[in-house]
Amino acid sequence: MTDAPKTPSRRWLLAGGAAAAGALTLAACGRKSESAAASAEGKAALPSGAFAEGKGPEVTGAKLGFIALTDCSPLIVAKEKGLFAKYGLPDVEVLKQASWGATRDNLVLGSAAGGIDGAHILTPMPYLLTTGQATGGKPTPMYILARLNLNGQAISIGNDLKALSVGLDASAAKARFAELKAKGKPSQVAMTFRGGTHDLWLRYWLAAGGVHPDKDVSTIVIPPPQMVANLKAGTQDAFCVGEPWNGQTVNQQIGYSACVTSELWMDHPEKALGLRADWVDKNPIAAKALLMAVQEAQQWCDPVENREEMCRIVSGRQWINVPLADILPRQLGEIDYGSGRVEKASAHVMKFWRNDASFPFKSHDLWFLTEDQRWGVLPASLDARALVDKVNRSDLWREAAAAIGAAAPAGDSRGRETFFDGKVFDPDNPKAWLDAQPIKSLA
């Protein structure tokens, strides 16, 4: 599939130009060499050209958290296929977290106190930790080193509302939501973390249909692996989450997919590789090695011919722990919405590398922060652009990509983004986006 070209934002266009040129000059480095065995001192040699410093990583491992969602696959593949070891980090641990709240708490602790150093994480969360918004006012500075994927989430509806034929247009449920609210039993719609990606997709979908997510329904937090069970138990009417839980909902015949989130915004950013800033600052060579391993894993995960093996790996008991039939079809672009609609070779497939899926565009992070301002998670007075420049380490992504011979985008903006309802986000003017939203809850 060929995507329409994006128009880059002038503000960020030049920011990555010099780094991109450096990436091109180093494009031949690293990919053809295999790592040597660890030396007697315990330091592993890295692929040729990987580090100009000539030194291995400062540490041999890190503790990385993940949630049982298909978009954690690059971390699991990097571990299972020995890519962390290849780049001098044989002791990396990839540790399952019970919820995004647990991920947050373990990042605050850090590995020295029994927590974790980084994680597969909802893109806004490193910002919510850095500002202290999600940590009771005590900031935990974080960096975003890479995006882990584009697309691959959905909004699922329980069978109780199936007769309404709610799809991409949420307005079909507006009258029913009003009826339930009038009876004192507002509809329960679930997401995974306040201010996170699933919260923002759900809110955008509802608001575009004229439903206020803070007034017309009850928006609740549920960990991803519990979504299907709660829908089956009748304790929620709809939810937004990543795969494989939407596919499992359809397979168990307890609901259907109203839409996949890339129908709201095609090729939208989703999860990120986030690490504590102090860990990266203390271990810059190890951070680069970690990033190289993840980038290589993303390259492996992306081709359709590798998807079945990827799904067999990540569906295992120690990882996502679901039947292969719940996870594989949507990774191949085969989407059964559970409503009679079935798509083959869908353009809405999850992407790990193609279309610059791994690159952490600053313009995308700015959209997430603007939406969190829209819904009162972050103050309207926040200098969002300055915060993005502090947290988003696209410079490190470029360095790591150059070391493995991968090209990088020319700049840090993907340009103007168009949503399904016709609204356009211009990263040069986020205030205009906020002003254009009729439904919002500004702090």
Side-chain angles (χ1 to χ4, degrees):
M1 182 189 71
T2 302
D3 291 350
K6 299 285 184 178
T7 302
S9 164
R10 293 187 304 275
R11 188 182 301 271
W12 276 319
L13 182 61
L14 297 178
L24 292 175
T25 63
L26 291 172
C29 297
R31 278 187 75 78
K32 295 182 180 179
S33 299
E34 299 295 333
S35 59
S39 67
E41 290 79 14
K43 293 182 178 179
L46 296 171
S48 175
F51 294 111
E53 299 92 334
K55 295 188 294 185
E58 301 86 351
V59 293
T60 59
K63 292 185 177 181
L64 304 177
F66 79 96
I67 294 287
L69 292 162
T70 313
D71 45 34
C72 73
S73 295
L75 297 191
I76 294 173
V77 165
K79 179 64 177 178
E80 290 279 6
K81 288 193 168 289
L83 297 177
F84 290 128
K86 172 182 176 179
Y87 290 104
L89 299 169
D91 300 322
V92 167
E93 297 179 66
V94 182
L95 305 168
K96 185 179 288 188
Q97 309 294 296
S99 65
W100 293 118
T103 299
R104 172 203 59 207
D105 295 344
N106 282 323
L107 283 167
V108 170
L109 285 172
S111 63
I116 56 180
D117 302 302
H120 150 254
I121 199 166
L122 299 164
T123 285
M125 283 183 65
Y127 293 97
L128 303 181
L129 270 71
T130 297
T131 60
Q133 185 280 334
T135 55
K138 295 181 65 176
T140 298
M142 298 283 297
Y143 290 148
I144 287 176
L145 273 64
R147 202 79 65 209
L148 289 180
N149 69 297
L150 305 179
N151 307 332
Q153 324 298 299
I155 294 172
S156 290
I157 308 289
N159 286 336
D160 288 349
L161 298 180
K162 195 169 186 177
L164 300 176
S165 299
V166 182
L168 189 58
D169 182 0
S171 64
K174 187 174 181 180
R176 177 60 174 163
F177 289 154
E179 177 187 344
L180 290 169
K181 180 183 177 183
K183 292 179 179 179
K185 298 179 179 180
S187 184
Q188 304 286 304
V189 295
M191 43 76 181
T192 62
F193 190 86
R194 183 74 171 98
T197 54
H198 302 126
D199 186 26
L200 298 183
W201 307 138
L202 185 68
R203 288 170 177 273
Y204 196 93
W205 174 73
L206 289 169
V211 178
H212 199 303
D214 292 323
K215 298 178 181 179
D216 299 333
V217 295
S218 177
T219 307
I220 59 176
V221 175
I222 300 292
Q226 295 178 25
M227 290 289 190
V228 177
N230 280 28
L231 193 66
K232 184 183 293 186
T235 57
Q236 64 194 42
D237 300 306
F239 62 77
C240 182
V241 76
E243 298 301 342
W245 308 114
N246 302 287
Q248 187 177 88
T249 295
V250 172
N251 287 349
Q252 294 189 11
Q253 299 182 343
I254 58 175
Y256 70 100
S257 296
C259 64
V260 295
T261 50
S262 45
E263 293 177 279
L264 304 177
W265 175 12
M266 186 58 182
D267 282 350
H268 68 75
E270 184 49 43
K271 303 303 186 300
L273 173 63
L275 281 100
R276 286 177 58 109
D278 57 4
W279 191 91
V280 175
D281 292 342
K282 183 179 180 181
N283 305 295
I285 302 176
K288 184 174 177 180
L290 188 73
L291 187 47
M292 291 162 67
V294 171
Q295 288 174 335
E296 186 170 329
Q298 290 181 275
Q299 290 177 323
W300 184 87
C301 288
D302 210 49
V304 66
E305 57 266 26
N306 291 339
R307 291 296 176 98
E308 182 171 353
E309 183 182 351
M310 182 195 84
C311 290
R312 287 188 184 280
I313 292 171
V314 304
S315 64
R317 172 177 253 178
Q318 74 275 36
W319 302 122
I320 301 177
N321 192 25
V322 293
L324 186 64
D326 287 347
I327 192 171
L328 179 58
R330 294 194 180 200
Q331 289 303 301
L332 298 176
E334 300 171 4
I335 304 177
D336 179 354
Y337 285 74
S339 58
R341 176 186 176 191
V342 178
E343 286 194 10
K344 301 286 187 180
S346 172
H348 298 284
V349 70
M350 188 180 292
K351 298 175 182 178
F352 296 100
W353 185 260
R354 80 193 91 159
N355 302 117
D356 297 319
S358 175
F359 185 77
F361 285 103
K362 290 186 176 183
S363 57
H364 290 164
D365 288 5
L366 185 60
W367 181 84
F368 284 118
L369 295 185
T370 303
E371 280 291 290
D372 272 337
Q373 289 176 301
R374 175 186 180 183
W375 299 115
V377 178
L378 292 170
S381 60
L382 176 74
D383 187 343
R385 194 177 301 278
L387 182 59
V388 169
D389 285 337
K390 178 181 179 180
V391 173
N392 183 301
R393 297 302 306 273
S394 62
D395 58 322
L396 298 182
W397 191 98
R398 294 178 187 279
E399 290 179 19
I404 66 168
D412 282 358
S413 174
R414 203 173 71 171
R416 292 158 63 93
E417 304 282 352
T418 301
F419 290 71
F420 85 109
D421 55 356
K423 289 189 170 64
V424 177
F425 177 73
D426 182 352
D428 281 340
N429 191 3
K431 184 178 184 301
W433 173 267
L434 277 179
D435 292 343
Q437 308 303 326
I439 298 179
K440 51 196 167 192
S441 300
L442 296 175

